[in-house]
């Protein structure tokens, strides 16, 4: 019995030792290190590497030439090798408050920072992240305020004949208040899914902070999966660990306008499952890029469903060659929608966004018809930095 106890104790000590090595030995250097002046130092121990670089959205953009023309990409710079094979780079200037993403490139191979466990997936790209606090970026942080609840839920869509997944934020106190709440439907862009806004958009942090500050009304936020061919985010459906893609093969099998036509399935599920205020005045819809296209079409196809509409970095022009009723008679549907006087029609776009001209053309159409809307123009382009800004500006305008 004593011998058994000795071996059991030895085994326990080995387990603790290995656990401590995994916990404390996995990060031999500090990276990123945010200094008091908001410059940031990145480090990687790679004694056998020939060249180590870092790429991130805090670096000057680089222009990439493709078969479709030129596009912007995050910049890339070299690290300098120091003692014991530790490579290092410090930003030459302080970084402005923001959520930033980055990755290392070691001898041409992209890799994560082993000293930073915080990562986010955007379509098929994973990046490390960190936050420089201050100003608007404080809304992206978890602060000492009451917190809402984030749930992943499944619903059945009779229109698409499949079970589908969505993410729902309920505000602090929802579980015990007994109150009914307005609902904000927030849609992702191409390549995204029901995880995009909650991870990359920092939706729960933004809403927690805005509500706590009294700048936004307590609301339910529903983050859908806008890919009509897809049950759920990659890895979260019976299809298994599929490779995320902007244009998967399954897309061809999706019915035209399937997401827009099936949207009432989502609204019915939400109204049945949560304590909502189920009327137009207490519903909002907004989305980025493809989600903007969806929001534009859904709100005009169902003009009595949403009183608040937000188009972030995108719009729609209709398609009269289409046989799908969602896309035909584009201007006619807009006229019906605006005749019903939506409480807010909000458009936002970056100055260098590749969709800028399309958004300008859409605004010209609205101006020609005398349709009232609010417009916000920001710097930079088709990036999450802008979409987080638009969310922080749009949410406080809702349900007033």
């Amino acid at each position: 019995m004593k011998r058994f106890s000795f071996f059991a104790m030895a085994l326990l000590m080995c387990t603790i030792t290995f656990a401590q090595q995994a916990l404390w030995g996995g990060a031999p250097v500090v990276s990123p290190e945010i200094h008091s002046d908001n410059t940031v130092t990145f480090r990687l121990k790679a004694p056998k590497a020939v060249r180590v670089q870092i790429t991130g959205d805090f670096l000057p953009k680089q222009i990439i030439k493709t078969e479709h023309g030129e596009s912007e990409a995050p910049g890339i710079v070299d690290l300098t090798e120091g003692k014991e094979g530790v490579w290092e780079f410090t930003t030459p200037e302080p970084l402005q408050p923001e959520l930033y993403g980055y990755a290392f490139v070691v001898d041409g191979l992209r890799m994560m920072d082993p000293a930073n466990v915080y990562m986010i997936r955007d379509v098929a790209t994973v990046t490390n992240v960190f936050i420089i606090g201050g100003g608007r970026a404080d809304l992206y942080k978890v602060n000492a305020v009451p917190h809402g609840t984030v749930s992943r839920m499944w619903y059945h869509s009779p229109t698409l004949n499949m079970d589908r997944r969505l993410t729902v934020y309920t505000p602090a106190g929802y579980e015990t208040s007994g109150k009914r709440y307005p609902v904000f439907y927030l849609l992702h862009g191409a390549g995204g899914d029901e995880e995009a806004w909650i991870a990359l958009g920092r939706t729960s942090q933004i809403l927690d902070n805005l509500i706590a500050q009294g700048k936004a009304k307590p609301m339910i936020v529903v983050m859908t999966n806008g890919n009509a061919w897809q049950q759920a985010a990659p890895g979260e459906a019976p299809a298994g660990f599929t490779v995320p893609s902007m244009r998967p093969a399954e897309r061809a099998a999706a019915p035209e306008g399937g997401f827009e036509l099936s949207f009432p399935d989502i609204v019915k599920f939400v109204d049945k499952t949560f304590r909502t205020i189920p009327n137009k005045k207490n519903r909002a819809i907004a989305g980025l890029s493809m989600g903007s296209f969806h929001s534009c079409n859904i709100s005009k196809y169902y003009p009595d469903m949403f009183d608040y509409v937000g188009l972030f970095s995108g719009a729609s022009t209709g398609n009269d060659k289409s046989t799908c009723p969602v896309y035909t008679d584009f201007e006619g549907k807009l006229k019906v929608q605006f005749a019903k006087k939506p409480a807010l029609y909000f458009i936002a776009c970056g100055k260098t966004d590749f969709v800028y001209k399309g958004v300008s053309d859409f605004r010209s159409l609205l101006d020609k018809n005398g349709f009232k809307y609010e417009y916000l123009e920001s710097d930079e382009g088709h990036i999450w930095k802008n979409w987080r800004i638009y969310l922080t500006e749009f949410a406080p305008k809702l349900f007033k």
Side-chain angles (χ1 to χ4, degrees):
M1 186 68 180
K2 290 182 179 179
R3 180 175 295 180
F4 176 79
S5 298
F6 172 78
F7 283 118
M9 182 62 70
L11 180 61
L12 176 61
M13 291 303 295
C14 288
T15 301
I16 293 173
T17 300
F18 282 121
Q20 287 178 334
Q21 286 179 346
L23 180 62
W24 304 113
V29 296
V30 176
S31 178
E33 182 179 1
I34 302 172
H35 303 289
S36 59
D37 64 352
N38 283 351
T39 58
V40 182
T41 297
F42 302 88
R43 299 182 182 92
L44 177 70
K45 187 169 185 177
K48 295 184 179 180
V50 176
R51 187 182 191 187
V52 177
Q53 299 168 290
I54 187 170
T55 179
D57 52 14
F58 52 86
L59 296 169
K61 299 286 191 300
Q62 58 178 331
I63 303 299
I64 303 296
K65 292 184 178 180
T66 68
E67 57 181 315
H68 303 294
E70 294 184 345
S71 62
E72 290 185 343
I76 186 167
V77 298
D78 290 315
L79 279 71
T80 301
E81 186 175 11
K83 295 180 180 179
E84 299 181 356
V86 176
W87 298 73
E88 186 173 296
F89 168 76
T90 299
T91 58
E93 301 290 339
L95 298 186
Q96 295 299 309
E98 185 52 69
L99 171 71
Y100 292 100
Y102 71 98
F104 289 126
V105 181
V106 180
D107 295 336
L109 178 65
R110 190 179 188 279
M111 64 172 286
M112 297 295 95
D113 184 346
N116 183 357
V117 300
Y118 300 104
M119 294 172 277
I120 291 180
R121 176 182 66 86
D122 189 5
V123 192
T125 301
V126 178
T127 57
N128 288 111
V129 292
F130 65 96
I131 293 178
I132 298 292
R136 191 190 303 269
D138 283 344
L139 293 175
Y140 311 155
K141 297 167 63 177
V142 177
N143 295 309
V145 299
H147 302 298
T149 300
V150 177
S151 306
R152 273 73 172 182
M153 308 187 71
W154 288 82
Y155 72 99
H156 182 71
S157 172
T159 306
L160 297 174
N161 192 30
M162 69 169 74
D163 291 333
R164 308 191 75 235
R165 187 173 180 258
L166 45 75
T167 300
V168 181
Y169 165 90
T170 50
Y174 172 86
E175 290 83 357
T176 57
S177 71
K179 297 179 181 178
R180 291 188 171 272
Y181 295 82
V183 185
F184 173 22
Y185 293 84
L186 185 57
L187 315 184
H188 62 79
D193 47 59
E194 73 275 13
E195 295 292 332
W197 267 109
I198 205 68
L200 292 147
R202 306 291 287 181
T203 301
S204 61
Q205 291 83 5
I206 289 172
L207 266 294
D208 279 350
N209 290 317
L210 287 176
I211 292 170
Q213 294 172 15
K215 294 180 179 178
K217 284 199 168 186
M219 67 185 78
I220 298 168
V221 184
V222 179
M223 290 152 277
T224 62
N225 186 312
N227 308 309
W229 65 89
Q230 192 177 53
Q231 286 185 276
E236 301 294 342
F241 296 146
T242 56
V243 178
S245 172
M246 294 285 285
R247 295 184 177 275
E250 302 97 303
R251 184 170 186 168
E256 185 180 19
F259 181 65
E260 292 95 329
L261 291 169
S262 67
F263 207 82
D265 296 345
I266 299 172
V267 175
K268 289 176 183 177
F269 169 78
V270 171
D271 284 344
K272 181 180 178 181
T273 308
F274 295 91
R275 296 193 310 277
T276 68
I277 307 175
N279 58 42
K280 178 181 179 179
K281 289 184 178 180
N282 288 281
R283 290 197 196 105
I285 187 169
L288 70 92
S289 194
M290 180 184 79
S292 174
F293 174 87
H294 284 153
S295 297
C296 180
N297 282 305
I298 290 168
S299 64
K300 67 179 176 55
Y301 191 66
Y302 305 104
D304 294 315
M305 190 172 284
F306 300 100
D307 217 13
Y308 300 83
V309 180
L311 311 183
F312 306 163
S313 300
S316 177
T317 57
N319 181 4
D320 287 332
K321 295 181 180 179
S322 171
T323 58
C324 178
V326 173
Y327 305 132
T328 57
D329 189 23
F330 182 77
E331 288 195 44
K333 289 186 175 69
L334 274 179
K335 289 178 180 178
V336 172
Q337 180 181 12
F338 277 90
K340 294 176 179 289
K341 301 184 183 303
L344 174 65
Y345 204 91
F346 179 88
I347 302 172
C349 192
K351 295 177 182 177
T352 62
D353 198 315
F354 70 88
V355 302
Y356 186 85
K357 184 181 183 305
V359 171
S360 296
D361 291 343
F362 180 69
R363 291 176 57 214
S364 295
L365 174 64
L366 297 180
D367 292 338
K368 182 185 74 173
N369 286 278
F371 299 153
K372 294 182 179 180
Y373 63 92
E374 289 188 21
Y375 179 60
L376 171 63
E377 188 168 287
S378 60
D379 293 326
E380 302 187 65
H382 214 70
I383 54 176
W384 274 102
K385 175 183 177 181
N386 273 338
W387 301 325
R388 286 188 291 268
I389 290 172
Y390 303 159
L391 177 59
T392 64
E393 294 292 326
F394 184 67
K397 298 176 183 290
L398 302 180
F399 316 121
K400 300 297 186 182

